[in-house]
Amino acid sequence: MRKVYLDYAATTYIDPSVLRKMNPYFADKFGNPSSLHAAGREVRSAIENARIEIAKILNAEGKEIIFTGSGTESDNLAILGAAMAYKDKGKHIIILKIEHPAVMEAAKKLEKQGFEITYLNVNPEGLIDLSELKKYLRKDTILVSVIYANNEIGTIQPIAEISEIIRNFRIHNSLFMFPLFHTDACQAAGALELDVKKLGVDLMTLNGSKIYGPKGIGCLYVSKNIRLEPMIVGGGQENGLRAGTENAALIVGFSEALKLAEKLKNKESGRLKILRDYFIKNVLKAVTHSRLNGHFVKRLPNNANISISGIEGESMALMLDNYGICASTGSACSSRKLTPSHVLLAIGITPELAHGSLRFTLGRKTKKGDLDYVLKVLPPIVKKLRKISAIK
């Protein structure tokens, strides 16, 4: 049976060149990077070199890169760490209604602790309303978090414009550094600008599993002017922000994957846009009562999130799987939940239609023939499911 993987937003395979860089640190170079002896110093050197390489890509300083165990942990450290560190300055935080669960759940946790969270609306294409942001900024707002590119619908937010609004608010109110500005850029890496100076962010989340690097590794860019309360305490690793012996293999792999992603970014993004637009056009043509979710233009080059009325996305995903096609019904982090996607509800999709949504995300191994195979298989599946579905 043909195998077609179209769930690259959930995770990617490790690029062979990345794996080769990692291999020595699984067995031969195994010293504890905190040790003073040669074996430890060798590993510490590899970690610090990786940190510097990542910092170069982000136009940051090495000490501003903090390694974590995942994108989720980085988001948690940014949101919870900033809230705990600056709660004496204010307890108001602003996020979008379409944030990744790692940010949403952190915000909900803070609400239980007495923080006030403003959840900004987005328009039907998933874009922030900049005037609404201006409206809700207050002198006690300590943090704004806006996802760079949405993991479900692929909509890209105007991060630099948001940063400018926040900067002007600071100047007008003589607030120096508040509110802080965080963005989750996990899906953006390898496709969009990552220069933190151009973007104007104070905190930025990245991870390895979305860029053909290893799972279990992420990083948080933390501007040198900012202090965070650590979520994991112990031996004081990562500038005291993330205790625990660093995993050199994953860190080296993450750095190599990010360098490769940056190198291939323009060429691969152009290739994927052509395939994405071809696929979207033909799905909407072949499947009646279907619609694209997210912005038509301001979207990730590999993302196609499509709602199909009269059926359930879970059933579609399972039947596609029978044909060797891997797609998802939304975020892989919450795909086991039976509730409709909070992202789709936020852009105005009805719960019934949200349940009939599929996310196809393309990647380095995706070819036009793979998409043609899906286009051949999908319409009969939809027809069959509509006949037996209770959804009308």
Side-chain angles (χ1 to χ4, degrees), residues 3 10 44 96 108 112 115 137 154 186 198 223 260-261 293 297-298 303 325 336 344 352 355 361 377 387 390 392:
K3 300 291 184 181
R44 168 55 58 191
L96 292 188
K108 290 176 184 178
K112 295 177 182 177
F115 285 80
L137 283 172
C186 290
K198 291 180 180 179
S223 173
L260 184 59
N293 298 316
V297 178
K298 297 175 183 177
N303 179 288
I325 300 166
R336 292 182 182 273
L344 296 182
E352 293 78 15
H355 272 300
T361 44
V377 168
K387 283 183 178 180
K392 301 299 179 184

Side-chain angles (χ1 to χ4, degrees), residues 166-356:
I166 293 172
R167 188 181 72 85
N168 289 336
F169 179 82
R170 290 171 181 166
I171 294 171
H172 181 73
N173 292 281
S174 303
L175 293 173
F176 178 54
M177 61 184 289
F178 295 104
L180 303 177
F181 184 26
H182 167 256
T183 187
D184 180 334
C186 290
Q187 296 289 340
L192 305 176
E193 176 67 70
L194 295 181
D195 186 319
V196 295
K197 301 295 192 300
K198 291 180 180 179
L199 295 174
V201 296
D202 303 298
L203 301 150
M204 185 165 74
T205 295
L206 296 170
N207 73 359
S209 66
K210 314 300 184 188
I211 54 172
Y212 305 87
K215 298 171 182 62
I217 181 68
C219 81
L220 180 67
Y221 159 74
V222 183
S223 173
K224 60 186 176 183
N225 300 316
I226 293 171
R227 58 185 172 88
L228 300 177
E229 190 72 22
M231 300 294 102
I232 301 175
V233 296
Q237 291 88 347
E238 296 304 302
N239 281 343
L241 290 179
R242 207 274 186 176
T245 302
E246 297 97 334
N247 190 321
L250 301 188
I251 290 171
V252 168
F254 180 28
S255 172
E256 189 67 17
L258 187 59
K259 286 191 290 183
L260 184 59
E262 281 293 297
K263 180 180 178 181
L264 299 176
K265 179 168 66 178
N266 292 336
K267 182 178 180 181
E268 184 65 2
S269 292
R271 185 184 77 88
L272 290 175
K273 282 180 183 178
I274 293 171
L275 291 176
R276 176 202 68 190
D277 292 345
Y278 169 79
F279 183 67
I280 291 171
K281 176 183 176 181
N282 283 282
V283 169
L284 298 183
K285 181 179 178 181
V287 179
T288 59
H289 305 294
S290 60
R291 57 160 287 168
L292 177 70
N293 298 316
H295 201 283
F296 275 83
V297 178
K298 297 175 183 177
R299 67 184 304 118
L300 289 170
N302 71 330
N303 179 288
N305 187 304
I306 295 171
S307 289
I308 301 173
S309 66
I311 53 178
E312 295 180 349
E314 291 83 358
S315 299
M316 273 193 293
L318 289 172
M319 291 192 73
L320 286 171
D321 188 49
N322 288 335
Y323 286 90
I325 300 166
C326 298
S328 74
T329 56
S331 168
C333 303
S334 56
S335 62
R336 292 182 182 273
K337 295 181 180 180
L338 296 178
T339 54
S341 160
H342 73 282
V343 173
L344 296 182
L345 295 181
I347 63 173
I349 303 295
T350 63
E352 293 78 15
L353 191 55
H355 272 300

Side-chain angles (χ1 to χ4, degrees), residues 93-144:
I93 293 172
I94 298 173
I95 69 172
L96 292 188
K97 286 185 177 180
I98 61 169
E99 293 295 322
H100 187 278
V103 170
M104 294 288 288
E105 294 303 316
K108 290 176 184 178
K109 181 175 182 178
L110 289 173
E111 277 187 303
K112 295 177 182 177
Q113 298 176 22
F115 285 80
E116 181 183 352
I117 312 297
T118 295
Y119 298 89
L120 293 183
N121 293 311
V122 292
N123 71 13
E125 295 176 316
L127 281 173
I128 186 174
D129 182 337
L130 296 178
S131 64
E132 189 177 36
L133 171 63
K134 293 177 183 178
K135 173 184 174 182
Y136 284 105
L137 283 172
R138 307 184 330 209
K139 289 186 177 181
D140 64 336
T141 306
I142 57 171
L143 178 68
V144 175

